[in-house]
Amino acid sequence: QVQLVESGGGLVQAGGSLRLSCAASGSIFSINAMGWHRQAPGKQRELVADITRGGSTNYAASVKGRFTISRDNAKNTVYLQMNSLKPEDTAVYYCNVDGRAGQLPKYFNSWGQGTQVTVSS
């Protein structure tokens, strides 16, 4: 019922910047938290950052001060501005959104398809 479409990944040199976007669509009644996770080869998926509907944010220690998460509630979209990128930031980045959708409405928790971010040294 809820689809997430991510964009903005790519290849960048160390020290560069990228901005990821994730737009949610479907029979959405309300959205609670929106966030970004990442998974590097051979590693577990980890939380990068998340943001509540009210705008409270939470960041992994490894990205604090370099990444900024934001959201546009009117567009059901979450962004991740990534600055001062490092080779260790290389991973597939996944958007995650939860809230309520459908006619009842019911709780949902959806994941995007993932977008590759590669940082070269």
Side-chain angles (χ1 to χ4, degrees), residues 13-14 24 37 51 56 58 61 69 79 82 103 109-110 113 117:
Q13 288 188 333
H37 293 67
I51 183 168
S56 296
N58 175 50
I69 190 169
Y79 306 95
M82 304 184 293
Q103 291 185 334
N109 187 308
S110 295
Q113 79 282 1
V117 171

Side-chain angles (χ1 to χ4, degrees), residues 7-100:
S7 60
L11 173 64
V12 65
Q13 288 188 333
S17 298
L18 284 173
R19 188 190 194 212
L20 305 182
S21 299
C22 172
S25 63
S27 303
I28 297 172
F29 178 76
S30 62
I31 292 179
N32 299 327
M34 306 181 85
W36 292 93
H37 293 67
R38 67 186 181 187
Q39 187 166 18
K43 295 187 177 182
Q44 289 189 330
R45 190 174 296 189
E46 63 175 0
L47 174 69
V48 176
D50 59 22
I51 183 168
T52 67
R53 183 171 182 83
S56 296
T57 58
N58 175 50
Y59 294 94
S62 60
V63 307
K64 198 171 292 186
R66 300 188 297 122
F67 291 10
T68 301
I69 190 169
S70 62
R71 63 190 281 173
D72 185 332
N73 290 332
K75 296 181 179 180
N76 291 336
T77 300
V78 61
Y79 306 95
L80 185 68
Q81 177 66 44
M82 304 184 293
N83 298 330
S84 302
L85 282 159
K86 304 175 181 180
E88 49 265 42
D89 294 318
T90 295
V92 178
Y93 284 68
Y94 297 91
C95 172
N96 176 239
V97 174
D98 77 342
R100 294 189 174 274

